[in-house]
DNA sequence: ATCGAGTTCCC
DNA sequence: CGGGAACTCGA
């Protein structure tokens, strides 16, 4: 087609469509003229008597601007859904409908709207979907034509359109239909009588075939083009086509709206790694990310990170279980508000952002923190500001300068001078004060916490305990009337997170302040209550003492009546907390020494201390727990695992070894999924899989125990029957439970090194257990007990691979259902088969030799003959 | 055969 | 309308 009309693609005109509309509102009328030639002439002429403002816009070729884009999201409907009304394609502003205007043209023309592919940068082709237009209860297929003229200000308004999702099976036909029409129209522009020749028809079919597979069915665009009809009734385009932006299918996981529906919790520790369950609208598991980000005051993103999860953590397109990433700043002392949103890599779409909060770590002091140098003075300067009510310079000085012995004497004196209420006399009598104070004073640290605040703005928080203590001292010195009451009030004061002074001092590692607070507390009538007070996350001072790995303080707290079994909001007792910290074994021991501690207690997730310790790999804690009498065969309530499962899962070889060697843990215990520790070891992805398997096998793990994992193929069907036969034979083998599932052995099928471990063990010990399982009688004792070693197996497998004899062998052994397994999974199919025969003790070497001869594998048979003669 | 994802239909 | 679920299809 000759390029008579060139595009007018000035960006300015595109973006200034609205201004143009205003300027042209008067409209231009010119008497109709027949041909295109005169059309452009008349447009030039008319520009002469148009006002100056319009000059720029009227000179040039006709073009179309889009006054109103269609919405970006629209639900594509199937034909069958088109009963009744479902709303039509509206404009991007949600009110109007798609609208375009023809410029630089003075005759009536028609504007066509059709549906095309949306891939920008690629040639637009007709889309397989339909764009229907409903008018007065009638539906019309695309394309749609609207006549424009000066009366309508050359504006075409496309009402009542909707997009019909062509069914997959009709895509090709629909494409062919549209592509034929397009090709025909093109040809007719030059020759009215033109038809498509068979070569063109064929080409269209080929193209349609191709597009059918690759067309994006969830995105379309509208195509607008203006035409005039010539004398022969042929549509002659007078503008280049212009395309709307993309319209995406609202119902698809690929382009649908991303939405966070619900979240399990909205907070995480700065350390990250916390598991969160999030319910979402339909997503594709391969095409979704969870982004956490922070904005500054100006709304600029200043931090972002992605939640950690795998495809397997996306449940049925509607839920995701992910772990939070660590926050950039581990040292925050106040909650940090950030945002969380879903992000779709394929098109960069994202959901609305939800608020999310990072909480400061409980172990703030556990880490090395950068110390900010305070100008000129000691930390003393931090004490004074908050003292408008009480002039306490003396006390401050006392606190900071006096050696601790002096001060403790001071306190002790105060305490013994009868300031204590009679109620606690009994309690005080019970306490071994000498020991207690020795414990507390057995420290050479300075009075003030060794750690200053890392960030100045949080000094109030950090100084909370110190300020309270200062006030108390002040109060004592002044011997005020309501002193006791006042002190009581001070001790009960709370700071951020509901911290009592004791919590706060512990949280910030101000160990000396802790000690002084404890001295004060021990004489207080509400001592027990105060000691056991819980902050807003339910933690007691004991939790923090343990988190800070302070065995002495832990002990002191216990002496003062701290309840070792009080749990935090997640059901964690101090023991639960302690065993998770690998170097806090001293605290574990202190706790375990406490009578009344419940070592089998479960946290809210259904884990005992032993499970938590195992998960964390805290070897010492495990030993302590076992010594303290923890039941090693106790299972967690969420997965039914013993510590052995958990240890294997975590690859903690040393712990596995300990459990197996030093405890009476049951090696073959199955978890809720029916898996034994050996199953877990076999599928272990780390480098230790083999060692772990060996260890378990050594301690009697049975690789034939099956889990509850029912596979879903023919292979398994057959295997079931196979297994059932086996079970019958070994009916004395207690409780294989007749279940249908995978054994450790099954799981190891494609792991030759692990099979070796299994084999090695059977060569030595298991012939008794798995003897005489086949119809074939075993004749040669030697060959029965000594099967092929690995080297022999490899050599033999080379022979059998060469001739494909392994397939025949498998068939004759009635295990052809495993052919595929061997074929696909083994490095060498024959080796897989041989290992299988070996482990399952299907037949003796002698029989093997016979069988090989029967099936014509002379070379292999000879080889066996050769090695067996060497052996004997 | 079975499962998850995608498609189609129904209310 | 939007939500939901039944159906279908490909791995």
């Amino acid at each position: 087609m000759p390029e008579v009309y060139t595009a007018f693609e000035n960006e300015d005109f595109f973006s200034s469509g609205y201004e143009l509309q205003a300027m042209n509102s008067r409209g231009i009328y010119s008497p109709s003229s027949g041909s295109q030639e005169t059309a452009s002439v008349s447009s030039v002429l008319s520009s002469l008597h148009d006002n100056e403002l319009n000059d720029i816009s009227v000179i040039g070729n006709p073009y179309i601007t889009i006054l109103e884009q269609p919405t970006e999201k629209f639900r594509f409907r199937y034909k069958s859904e088109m009963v009744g009304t479902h709303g039509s394609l509206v404009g991007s502003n949600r009110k109007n409908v798609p609208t375009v205007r023809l410029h630089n043209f003075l005759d009536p023309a028609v504007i066509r709207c059709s549906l095309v592919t949306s891939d920008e940068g690629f040639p637009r082709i007709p889309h397989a979907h339909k764009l229907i237009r409903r008018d007065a209860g009638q539906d019309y297929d695309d394309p749609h034509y609207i006549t424009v003229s000066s009366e309508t200000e050359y504006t075409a308004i496309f009402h009542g359109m909707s997009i019909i999702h062509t069914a997959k099976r009709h895509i090709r036909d629909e494409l062919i239909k549209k592509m034929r029409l397009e090709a025909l129209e093109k040809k007719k522009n030059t020759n009215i009588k033109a038809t498509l020749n068979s070569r063109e028809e064929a080409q269209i079919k080929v193209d349609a075939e191709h597009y059918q597979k690759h067309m994006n069915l969830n995105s379309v665009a509208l195509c607008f083009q203006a035409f005039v009809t010539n004398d022969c009734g042929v549509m002659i385009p007078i503008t280049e086509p212009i395309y709307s932006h993309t319209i995406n299918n609202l119902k698809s996981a690929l382009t649908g709206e991303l939405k966070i529906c619900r979240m399990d919790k909205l907070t995480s520790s700065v350390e990250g790694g916390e598991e969160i369950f999030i319910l979402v609208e339909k997503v594709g598991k391969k095409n979704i990310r969870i982004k956490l980000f922070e904005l500054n005051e100006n709304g600029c993103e200043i931090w972002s990170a992605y939640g950690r999860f795998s495809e397997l953590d996306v449940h049925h397109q509607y839920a995701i279980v992910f772990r939070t990433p660590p926050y950039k700043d581990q040292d925050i002392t106040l909650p940090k508000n950030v945002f969380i949103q879903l992000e779709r890599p394929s098109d960069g779409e994202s959901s609305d952002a939800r608020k999310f909060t990072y909480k400061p770590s409980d172990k703030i002091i556990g880490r090395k923190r950068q110390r900010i140098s305070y100008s000129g003075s000691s930390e003393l300067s931090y004490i004074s500001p908050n003292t408008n009510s009480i002039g306490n310079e003396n006390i401050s000085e006392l606190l900071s300068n006096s050696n601790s012995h002096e001060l403790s004497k001071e306190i002790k004196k105060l305490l013994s001078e009868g300031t204590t209420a009679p109620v606690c006399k009994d309690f005080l009598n019970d306490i071994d004060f000498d020991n207690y104070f020795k414990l507390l004073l057995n420290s050479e640290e300075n009075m003030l916490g060794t750690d200053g605040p890392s960030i100045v703005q949080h000094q109030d928080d950090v100084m909370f305990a110190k300020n309270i203590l200062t006030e108390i001292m002040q109060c004592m010195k002044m011997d005020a009337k309501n002193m006791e009451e006042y002190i009581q009030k001070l001790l009960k004061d709370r700071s951020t997170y509901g911290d009592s002074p004791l919590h706060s001092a512990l949280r910030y590692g101000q160990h000396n302040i802790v000690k002084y607070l404890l001295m004060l507390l021990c004489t207080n009538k509400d001592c027990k209550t105060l000691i056991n007070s819980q902050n807003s996350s339910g933690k007691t001072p004991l939790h923090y003492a343990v988190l800070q790995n302070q065995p002495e303080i832990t002990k002191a707290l216990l002496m003062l009546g701290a309840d070792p079994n009080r749990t935090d909001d997640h059901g964690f007792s101090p023991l639960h907390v302690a065993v998770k910290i690998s170097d806090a074994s001293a605290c574990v021991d202190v706790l375990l020494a406490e009578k009344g501690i419940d070592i089998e207690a479960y946290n809210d997730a259904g884990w005992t201390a032993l499970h938590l310790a195992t998960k964390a790999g805290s070897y010492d804690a495990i030993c302590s727990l076992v010594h303290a009498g923890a039941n090693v065969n106790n299972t967690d309530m969420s997965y039914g695992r013993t510590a052995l499962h958990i240890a294997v899962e975590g690859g903690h070889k040393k712990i596995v070894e300990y459990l197996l060697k030093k405890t009476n843990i049951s090696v073959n215990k199955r978890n809720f999924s029916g898996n034994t520790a050996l199953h877990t070891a076999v599928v272990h992805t780390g480098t230790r899989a083999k060692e772990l398997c060996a260890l378990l096998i050594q301690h009697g793990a049975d690789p034939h125990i099956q889990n509850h994992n029912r596979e879903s193929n023919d292979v398994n069907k057959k295997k079931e029957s196979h297994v059932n036969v086996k079970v019958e034979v070994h009916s004395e083998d207690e409780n294989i439970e007749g279940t249908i599932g995978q054994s450790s052995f099954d799981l190891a099928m494609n792991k030759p090194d692990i099979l070796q471990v299994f084999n090695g063990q059977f060569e030595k010990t298991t012939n008794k257990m798995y003897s005489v399982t086949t119809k074939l009688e075993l004749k040669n004792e030697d060959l029965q007990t000594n099967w092929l070693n690995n080297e022999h197996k490899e050599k033999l497998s080379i022979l059998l691979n060469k001739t494909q004899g392994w397939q025949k062998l498998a068939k004759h052994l009635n295990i052809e259902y495993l052919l595929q397994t061997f074929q696909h999974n083994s490095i060498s199919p024959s080796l897989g088969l041989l290992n299988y025969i070996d482990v399952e003790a299907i037949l003796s070497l002698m029989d093997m030799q016979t069988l090989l001869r029967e099936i014509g594998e002379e070379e292999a048979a000879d080889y066996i003959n050769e090695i067996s003669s060497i052996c004997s």
Side-chain angles (χ1 to χ4, degrees):
Chain A
M1 189 195 93
E3 289 282 327
V4 178
Y5 305 99
T6 55
F8 192 100
E9 297 216 47
N10 186 326
E11 285 296 324
D12 287 337
F13 280 110
F14 277 66
S15 54
S16 61
Y18 290 96
E19 286 100 295
L20 281 173
Q21 183 177 19
M23 293 196 305
N24 282 344
S25 60
R26 189 172 52 88
I28 305 157
Y29 181 73
S30 115
S32 165
S33 45
S35 74
Q36 324 151 31
E37 202 48 49
T38 52
S40 48
V41 170
S42 65
S43 71
V44 174
L45 286 175
S46 81
S47 73
L48 295 175
H49 36 79
D50 209 43
N51 69 49
E52 279 89 8
L53 273 174
N54 280 343
D55 277 357
I56 304 165
S57 60
V58 193
I59 296 169
N61 293 311
Y63 63 95
I64 291 174
T65 55
I66 297 177
L67 300 185
E68 183 68 42
Q69 288 275 4
T71 42
E72 293 179 43
K73 306 253 175 216
F74 185 74
R75 176 162 163 180
F76 299 2
R77 298 227 169 232
Y78 286 86
K79 189 105 196 171
S80 61
E81 290 183 288
M82 288 314 289
V83 288
T85 173
H86 284 299
S88 53
L89 207 53
V90 294
S92 53
N93 66 1
R94 302 219 143 258
K95 299 203 297 272
N96 300 338
V97 299
T99 306
V100 297
R101 167 166 293 169
L102 173 63
H103 302 270
N104 282 355
F105 201 72
L106 299 164
D107 295 326
V110 287
I111 296 181
R112 176 169 78 186
C113 178
S114 60
L115 212 53
V116 294
T117 52
S118 63
D119 317 281
E120 277 160 60
F122 288 93
R124 306 275 186 162
I125 61 162
H127 201 285
H129 291 343
K130 290 184 190 176
L131 180 70
I132 69 144
R133 194 169 159 216
R134 181 163 290 182
D135 193 23
Q138 278 295 116
D139 285 354
Y140 303 96
D141 269 2
D142 56 348
H144 305 292
Y145 296 95
I146 291 184
T147 305
V148 294
S149 66
S150 59
E151 277 142 74
T152 56
E153 296 171 25
Y154 290 92
T155 302
I157 304 170
F158 290 89
H159 283 289
M161 296 200 301
S162 45
I163 296 160
I164 308 277
H165 194 300
T166 303
K168 265 250 161 89
R169 55 183 178 277
H170 296 137
I171 298 277
R172 198 183 82 109
D173 292 346
E174 201 63 36
L175 276 174
I176 292 176
K177 198 169 96 190
K178 287 194 177 178
M179 286 163 76
R180 287 191 72 226
L181 278 174
E182 189 187 52
L184 205 55
E185 180 184 292
K186 225 173 185 177
K187 276 190 123 183
K188 289 202 172 178
N189 277 334
T190 45
N191 173 11
I192 178 66
K193 296 220 172 84
T195 52
L196 294 177
N197 59 40
S198 54
R199 198 181 59 80
E200 287 162 328
E201 294 268 12
Q203 184 60 46
I204 285 171
K205 280 197 178 149
V206 171
D207 289 347
E209 202 81 46
H210 173 262
Y211 290 132
Q212 162 194 33
K213 278 186 233 135
H214 298 103
M215 182 168 285
N216 179 349
L217 297 177
N218 288 304
S219 303
V220 300
L222 301 181
C223 169
F224 299 102
Q225 194 169 17
F227 297 83
V228 292
T229 313
N230 72 6
D231 300 337
C232 314
V234 175
M235 305 267 293
I236 307 292
I238 56 170
T239 67
E240 283 293 297
I242 178 170
Y243 306 105
S244 75
H245 60 212
T246 302
I247 306 169
N248 292 303
N249 186 1
L250 205 50
K251 194 91 195 271
S252 153
L254 252 59
T255 53
E257 205 167 7
L258 291 171
K259 192 176 163 197
I260 296 174
C261 306
R262 204 163 158 174
M263 288 173 68
D264 161 52
K265 56 181 171 167
L266 294 156
T267 59
S268 162
S269 155
V270 279
E271 290 147 343
E274 285 184 26
E275 202 169 64
I276 295 186
F277 286 54
I278 176 171
L279 304 189
V280 299
E281 284 300 341
K282 200 172 208 171
V283 297
K285 65 182 173 190
K286 294 193 172 73
N287 190 21
I288 190 69
R289 294 204 284 182
I290 297 172
K291 177 179 170 181
L292 286 117
F293 63 99
E294 183 183 1
L295 302 177
N296 66 10
E297 320 77 59
N298 305 323
C300 296
E301 185 176 304
I302 52 173
W303 170 79
S304 76
Y306 289 94
R308 298 197 299 260
F309 62 94
S310 78
E311 268 180 47
L312 297 174
D313 299 316
V314 180
H315 182 80
H316 290 294
Q317 306 184 285
Y318 293 102
I320 305 172
V321 181
F322 71 100
R323 287 185 180 278
T324 54
Y327 182 63
K328 62 169 177 186
D329 178 3
Q330 294 288 300
D331 292 334
I332 56 169
T333 53
L334 290 173
K336 195 73 185 172
N337 289 321
V338 298
F339 295 96
I340 183 166
Q341 71 180 177
L342 299 174
E343 205 178 77
R344 186 165 50 214
S346 67
D347 61 357
E349 278 292 298
S350 52
S351 71
D352 286 344
R354 286 242 195 164
K355 280 195 179 142
F356 189 82
T357 307
Y358 271 110
K359 293 179 299 185
S361 168
D362 277 331
K363 296 188 267 189
I364 285 176
I365 305 309
R367 281 181 305 279
K368 282 254 169 14
R369 297 156 80 212
Q370 200 129 41
R371 187 126 178 199
I372 291 172
S373 61
Y374 306 110
S375 52
S377 66
S378 71
E379 286 154 355
L380 203 68
S381 55
Y382 281 95
I383 298 179
S384 5
N386 193 24
T387 51
N388 43 1
S389 53
I390 309 162
N392 62 353
E393 260 108 75
N394 294 337
I395 299 294
S396 300
E397 219 155 284
L398 184 66
L399 281 174
S400 54
N401 295 338
S402 69
N403 76 45
S404 36
H405 258 286
E406 287 288 323
L407 190 67
S408 63
K409 260 189 240 158
E410 192 92 11
I411 293 176
K412 206 170 175 182
K413 208 171 108 216
L414 281 169
L415 295 175
S416 56
E417 271 167 8
T419 57
T420 49
V423 214
C424 53
K425 277 272 151 64
D426 286 348
F427 175 69
L428 289 176
N429 287 339
D430 287 345
I431 267 200
D432 179 353
F433 264 98
D434 283 344
N435 241 336
Y436 181 71
F437 280 110
K438 218 191 299 171
L439 180 71
L440 291 186
L441 295 173
N442 195 10
S443 159
E444 65 292 344
E445 291 172 54
N446 290 325
M447 170 59 204
L448 291 172
T450 49
D451 250 312
S454 63
I455 302 163
V456 175
Q457 72 196 75
H458 300 132
Q459 60 168 280
D460 278 357
D461 248 8
V462 177
M463 299 308 291
F464 175 68
K466 193 179 282 179
N467 289 337
I468 293 280
L469 187 58
T470 310
E471 275 195 59
I472 291 176
M473 304 293 266
Q474 172 85 20
C475 193
M476 283 176 152
K477 282 235 156 161
M478 301 207 313
D479 210 10
K481 265 193 233 147
N482 304 327
M483 180 179 85
E484 219 172 296
E485 207 173 298
Y486 188 57
I487 291 178
Q488 201 71 11
K489 221 177 104 196
L490 285 171
L491 286 173
K492 282 184 178 166
D493 201 4
R494 296 297 175 111
S495 128
T496 321
Y497 315 123
D499 281 357
S500 72
L502 186 54
H503 281 104
S504 177
L506 279 162
R507 183 194 286 276
Y508 295 107
Q510 298 151 340
H511 299 146
N512 280 311
I513 294 183
V514 171
K515 287 169 187 174
Y516 284 97
L517 282 171
L518 288 180
M519 287 187 210
L520 286 170
L521 279 169
C522 72
T523 62
N524 193 290
K525 62 178 191 294
D526 282 340
C527 176
K528 264 199 161 167
T529 316
L530 288 165
I531 286 284
N532 281 312
S533 68
Q534 290 170 290
N535 69 4
S536 45
S537 61
K539 290 194 170 67
T540 62
L542 195 55
H543 282 103
Y544 286 100
V546 161
L547 275 168
Q548 294 284 338
N549 193 9
Q550 293 297 315
E552 285 170 12
I553 294 174
T554 305
K555 202 165 174 182
L557 286 167
L558 289 168
M559 284 174 79
L560 288 179
D563 176 359
N565 295 321
R566 183 154 307 189
T567 60
D568 72 8
D569 289 351
H570 297 291
F572 280 77
S573 71
L575 182 63
H576 287 138
V577 172
V579 298
K580 283 175 40 171
I581 306 167
S582 55
D583 53 2
S585 57
C587 286
V588 174
D589 291 338
V590 168
L591 285 167
L592 288 174
E594 184 73 6
K595 58 178 191 290
I597 190 160
D598 180 3
I599 59 173
E600 302 292 350
Y602 292 99
N603 69 4
D604 288 354
W607 295 52
T608 67
L610 183 63
H611 299 132
L612 291 166
T614 309
K615 173 92 179 177
S618 308
Y619 182 82
D620 293 336
I622 292 169
C623 299
S624 298
L625 284 165
V626 170
H627 284 140
N631 176 7
V632 286
N633 285 314
N634 211 349
T635 55
D636 80 77
M637 298 199 292
S638 42
Y639 304 99
R641 297 173 299 190
T642 64
L644 186 61
H645 284 103
I646 297 169
V648 168
E649 206 167 283
H652 303 302
K653 191 186 165 194
K654 198 174 157 196
I655 295 172
V656 173
E657 216 162 357
Y658 172 81
L659 289 171
L660 289 170
K661 288 188 176 151
K662 308 278 178 175
T663 76
N664 64 345
I665 200 155
S666 144
V667 66
N668 284 322
K669 191 135 178 168
R670 301 158 86 204
N671 68 11
F672 292 156
S673 318
N675 289 312
T676 64
L678 187 57
H679 282 95
T680 315
V682 171
V683 300
H684 195 267
T685 48
T687 49
R688 294 198 161 148
K690 191 178 167 183
E691 297 170 57
L692 292 169
C693 286
L695 212 45
L696 288 163
I697 291 277
Q698 265 173 42
H699 289 85
D702 179 354
H704 289 82
I705 296 176
Q706 301 186 5
N707 63 18
H708 306 320
N709 204 359
R710 43 171 80 209
E711 282 171 15
S712 51
N713 49 35
D714 292 331
V715 171
N716 206 56
K717 273 275 183 205
K718 296 246 186 143
K719 190 160 70 189
E720 282 168 27
S721 59
H722 168 74
V723 164
N724 288 338
V725 171
K726 242 182 104 79
V727 171
E728 275 170 41
V729 174
H730 297 288
S731 51
E732 78 276 11
D733 279 7
E734 84 283 53
N735 269 349
I736 295 189
E737 283 185 26
T739 48
I740 308 151
Q742 305 156 301
S743 64
S744 303
F745 180 73
D746 294 328
L747 292 174
M749 278 308 269
N750 58 350
K751 303 191 174 185
D753 53 335
I754 290 179
L755 277 176
Q756 260 176 32
V757 172
F758 290 2
N759 290 349
Q761 196 57 27
F762 287 121
E763 278 166 21
K764 280 178 241 141
T765 66
T766 57
N767 273 314
K768 231 188 307 151
M769 282 169 67
Y770 298 100
S771 59
V772 203
T773 59
T774 67
K775 295 161 282 194
L776 297 164
E777 274 300 304
L778 303 173
K779 290 163 196 156
N780 185 320
E781 284 292 313
D782 283 343
L783 290 185
Q784 181 194 340
T785 41
N786 297 315
W787 223 70
L788 300 168
N789 66 22
N790 291 328
E791 188 195 335
H792 293 151
K793 271 188 227 166
E794 264 170 47
K795 289 231 173 88
L796 187 58
S797 68
I798 292 168
L799 295 175
L800 292 173
N801 276 343
K802 204 169 58 188
T803 61
Q804 296 290 304
W806 63 274
Q807 297 190 5
K808 273 186 272 176
L809 188 55
K811 277 179 197 149
H812 278 264
L813 293 170
N814 292 324
I815 50 172
E816 65 264 50
Y817 60 89
L818 288 171
L819 280 177
Q820 267 199 326
T821 314
F822 295 132
Q823 184 84 64
H824 292 304
N825 293 343
S826 299
I827 295 162
S828 148
S830 302
L831 194 56
L833 173 64
L834 291 175
N835 283 330
Y836 183 79
I837 296 173
D838 188 358
V839 173
E840 298 283 299
I842 289 174
L843 79 175
S844 71
L845 257 195
M846 211 51 164
D847 294 325
M848 175 93 153
Q849 196 184 324
T850 316
L851 188 53
L852 284 171
R853 255 184 236 297
E854 275 172 30
I855 62 174
E857 293 294 324
E858 293 293 337
E859 204 180 339
D862 288 345
Y863 178 69
I864 292 186
N865 190 35
E866 188 186 317
I867 52 172
S868 50
S869 59
I870 295 168
C871 287
S872 55

